[in-house]
Amino acid sequence: MQHLEEKYYRIDEGEKEELLSEEHRGKGLGVNALFGAYMVLIFSLVILLPKIYLASNIYYVSRDIAKLQTQENLLKEENHRLERELEDVRFKYLMMNLN
């Protein structure tokens, strides 16, 4: 009985070769699919690389602008302080000359 069951499960060499050759033929992408994948990749790079470059440049320029605005505000405050000191010195000079 066991000998009969083994008979149905066995495959001869020709069938093995045929199955293996079908497995190897079915694997991989076709030339058209590979070409299409490369075209999608190239198109994506053409679209995305300039966007990344521009976004990066905008970030660095805006960072520089913020730094310059901070420096401008500091210089304006210093200018106001110096103007007040000058006004105080003028006032003291006038007071000394009036006496």
Side-chain angles (χ1 to χ4, degrees):
M1 183 84 154
Q2 189 178 24
H3 180 49
L4 291 176
E5 289 177 10
E6 287 181 15
K7 180 180 176 183
Y8 293 111
Y9 291 119
R10 293 198 176 188
I11 300 174
D12 66 358
E13 285 298 316
E15 290 173 331
K16 278 185 188 179
E17 297 280 331
E18 188 177 323
L19 286 172
L20 289 175
S21 67
E22 284 180 14
E23 285 180 10
H24 289 299
R25 255 186 285 142
K27 289 185 179 178
L29 294 175
V31 174
N32 289 337
L34 195 57
F35 179 73
Y38 279 128
M39 292 307 294
V40 167
L41 178 67
I42 290 170
F43 179 75
S44 299
L45 288 176
V46 166
I47 297 298
L48 293 178
L49 285 180
K51 181 190 179 304
I52 292 169
Y53 174 77
L54 290 174
S56 177
N57 276 350
I58 289 170
Y59 168 74
Y60 287 118
V61 168
S62 67
R63 192 176 69 173
D64 292 341
I65 289 171
K67 182 179 176 184
L68 290 173
Q69 285 176 338
T70 302
Q71 288 176 351
E72 179 188 22
N73 290 337
L74 288 173
L75 290 172
K76 283 182 179 179
E77 288 177 20
E78 186 177 357
N79 188 27
H80 288 301
R81 184 185 58 80
L82 290 173
E83 285 176 355
R84 281 193 307 263
E85 282 183 22
L86 180 61
E87 188 178 320
D88 288 345
V89 169
R90 282 184 185 159
F91 179 74
K92 287 179 185 177
Y93 177 76
L94 285 175
M95 292 307 239
M96 292 171 85
N97 282 340
L98 288 177
N99 291 334

